[in-house]
Amino acid sequence: SESTMQCANVKPRWSHASARARHGVRKGRKEDERKLWHRKWLGALRRKAAGRVGATDGRSELPTLVLYEVFVRNHSEEGTFEMVRKDLERIHSMGVDVLWLMPHYPIGKEERKGSLGSPYSIMDYKACEGSLGTLQDFERLANKVHELGMRLMIDIVFNHTSRDSAFVKEHPEWYKRDIFDRPTSPWDDVADFNYEEPAQWDALIDVLKFWVSKGVDGFRCDVASMVPLGFWQKAREEVDKEGNMIWLAESVDSTFLSALRRANQTALCDAELMQVFDLTYDYDLWNLWCAVVAGTEPVHRFLEMLQFQEVYLPAKAVKLRFVENHDQTRIMARAQSKHQAVAWTAFAAFNKGAFLIHAGQEEGMQKATELFEKDPIPWSSRPYQGFLSKLASLKKMKEVTDGELVLISGAPVLVAAWIAPPVHEPSPSGRLQLPKPGGGLLGLFNVGVCDEVPESPDIPLEDGNYHNIIADPQAEDMNTLQVTSGKISVPIRTAVVLHFEGDLTSATPLYSNLLDFQAARSVF
C-alpha cells in the first residue's frame, strides 16, 4: 500500500546500538589499514636492506668499524709506544678494528700549556716525541697492529702548529697574522695556517705520505672543519694513491660552526666534509645529546634529530658514534647514574655508524683525560671490558651489516630495531623463491635520568623467550628474557638487545610532528 511504501522510505531513528555498529565498522577498517601500513613499512625496510647485501663499493665496512683511542703518554706508567704495543692483543680481543693514536709528535715549548704541553701543539710533523720512543718504536707498533689484523690511524693537526715550529721561522707567509704582524690563533700555544700558499699544501701532503710509508692506514684530522675543503680534496687524491686510507674528520659542533661563520672563518659542516671524508664526528648533535643526558631535553627530540641526519647528510654518510673522547667529560661522570651511562654507551654501539671506545672506558673512569700533564690510566680489573666487547661484536652481526635501523620510541625506554633483509626459500613446487622475513635485533635502552627502573615498554615481539646478546654472564636473569602479551618479565635496568626471527608484530617508526611532512601539509 501507499502507507507501506512511505514507511519503507523512512530512515531508522538514531540509536546507541546502530552508532556502535557503524563505529565498529570504521574502527575495523582503521585497524586493517594500520596493519596494512605496518606490513608495507616493514617490507620497505627489508627491501632497502636487501639492496645493500653484497655491496662491493670497497667502503661498505665503514659503518661496522670499532675504533679505540689511545693517548700514548697516559696509556701506561711508562707512556711509550712499546707499552701500547704490549697491550695490543688485549685491545684486539675486544673487537677493535682501528687503533687511533692521539698526536705523537714533538710538542712546542713556547706558551706551553702545563708542564708537558698539549699534544696538539706540534713542532715537527715528521718526528716522534722523545719520551714516547723512537720512529723505529713507532714502526714496531705499526707492524704489530697489522699482524693482529687491525689498522693504525694517527692524529693529523693541520689547522695550526706550535708557535716555535720550524715552519713559523722558515715560512712565516704560511700563517695568519694579527694587527701587529704576529702569528695568531684562538689558542695561545699555537699559530694558525692561512692556506694561501700552494707550497704549504704540498708540504703538508708530503707529511701524510711520510706517515703512510711508516705503516699508517688512516688519519683522524683535528678540527677538519677549519681547513679549506680544496686542501682536503687534493690531499685525499694524492695520498690515496699510496693505499686505501681511512679518513676521519673532527667536525665541529653547531655552536662553534656558527661562531666561525659569523667571524668569516673557514667553517665546513658535515655535509661538506663528507665530500672527502669517510667518517665524521657526531658533534652536530652533541650539544643536544648532552642536554638529553642531563634531563633538560626529552629523548624523543634527540631521536628526531637522528632521523633528520638521514635527510640532511649524504645518503652513504657514516658517523662516528661515541659517548666520550679526550676532549669530553667521561660518560661515567656526565651521566646521572651508572645505569644511564651503560645504556647510552650501548645505544651508541647499536646506532648506525662506526663506534669509538676511549681508552679507560673499560675501567668505568670518571676522570677526564689530562692533556698537559702525566696522568696514567689506573688500569685495574677492567669491569666494563666484557660489556664493551659485546657491543663491538654487534657491529659485525648480519642484522646490522645488512639490515636497516629504525627508531621506534624514546619513552619509557629508548626502543630501536635493526630489520634484516628477507631470506628466500623455495616454494612447494620449487619453481619460485619466496621471501621470508629475516628477523632482526630489538634494542631497549633505559637512558632516562631517573635511576628508577621503568615499567616494561610495549615489546613488538611474539610471546616467547629471547636471547639477550649483550647480557652480563653473571646476571643470569638477563640472559634469556620472556615476552608475554607484549611485555618483558624482568625490569630493564640498563640495556638489552634481543635477537628475533620473523617480523616485529606491531612497531611503527618514531613519529615526529617536527619532521613528518605529511602532517605539516595538513597544518599549513
Side-chain angles (χ1 to χ4, degrees), residues 160-438:
H160 49 255
T161 66
S162 68
R163 291 183 175 271
D164 49 2
S165 164
F167 280 168
V168 173
K169 300 171 185 176
E170 297 169 4
H171 299 285
E173 71 279 9
W174 291 0
Y175 290 84
K176 295 178 181 178
R177 321 294 291 189
D178 63 16
I179 59 173
F180 302 106
D181 198 36
R182 298 173 302 192
T184 186
S185 171
W187 297 285
D188 295 336
D189 59 337
V190 297
D192 285 3
F193 285 125
N194 60 25
Y195 280 89
E196 295 175 359
E197 299 292 331
Q200 181 214 351
W201 290 34
D202 293 338
L204 295 181
I205 291 172
D206 187 60
V207 169
L208 298 173
K209 292 180 178 179
F210 172 81
W211 287 108
V212 172
S213 73
K214 303 302 178 185
V216 168
D217 307 293
F219 306 106
R220 178 267 185 189
C221 299
D222 189 61
V223 286
S225 296
M226 299 177 69
V227 175
L229 183 63
F231 169 78
W232 292 128
Q233 290 170 327
K234 182 178 180 181
R236 175 140 200 183
E237 181 181 353
E238 292 293 320
V239 176
D240 275 5
K241 295 175 183 177
E242 311 291 322
N244 189 19
M245 300 290 109
I246 301 173
W247 295 74
L248 164 63
E250 183 198 19
S251 48
V252 299
D253 67 81
S254 55
T255 303
F256 191 23
L257 190 72
S258 178
L260 289 171
R261 289 180 172 177
R262 286 197 301 271
N264 200 30
Q265 300 293 312
T266 299
L268 304 177
C269 66
D270 284 80
E272 292 170 304
L273 288 166
M274 284 173 175
Q275 297 178 51
V276 176
F277 287 88
D278 300 308
L279 307 161
T280 65
Y281 264 40
D282 211 15
Y283 276 169
D284 50 335
L285 302 186
W286 184 255
N287 292 337
L288 172 59
W289 177 76
C290 291
V292 172
V293 175
T296 58
E297 292 289 343
V299 176
H300 185 89
R301 181 159 297 171
F302 174 65
L303 298 184
E304 282 184 311
M305 293 310 296
L306 278 180
Q307 286 186 328
F308 196 37
Q309 277 187 339
E310 297 292 309
V311 178
Y312 70 73
L313 295 178
K316 295 185 178 181
V318 182
K319 280 288 189 174
L320 179 64
R321 309 293 186 181
F322 50 81
V323 291
E324 63 176 71
N325 61 48
H326 69 271
D327 282 322
Q328 302 298 334
T329 304
R330 294 275 188 179
I331 185 60
M332 284 295 181
R334 182 185 300 280
Q336 307 303 301
S337 67
K338 287 186 177 180
H339 288 169
Q340 188 197 35
V342 169
W344 275 119
T345 303
F347 180 69
F350 191 82
N351 197 2
K352 183 184 294 186
F355 177 52
L356 174 67
I357 299 172
H358 180 207
Q361 277 187 262
E362 305 97 309
E363 291 289 350
M365 287 183 62
Q366 294 191 17
K367 190 176 187 299
T369 300
E370 174 57 70
L371 293 179
F372 314 138
E373 306 291 346
K374 181 68 177 175
D375 186 28
I377 294 173
W379 294 112
S380 181
S381 61
R382 302 181 178 91
Y384 293 96
Q385 180 168 314
F387 177 69
L388 290 167
S389 299
K390 289 185 177 182
L391 296 183
S393 69
L394 285 176
K395 309 305 293 184
K396 304 300 188 293
M397 296 187 68
K398 67 177 181 64
E399 291 84 358
V400 175
T401 59
D402 297 339
E404 185 69 21
L405 178 69
V406 57
L407 304 174
I408 298 173
S409 69
V413 300
L414 194 164
V415 182
W418 281 97
I419 307 298
V423 295
H424 291 80
E425 296 181 347
S427 64
S429 66
R431 296 178 181 179
L432 299 174
Q433 291 289 319
L434 301 178
K436 176 184 176 182

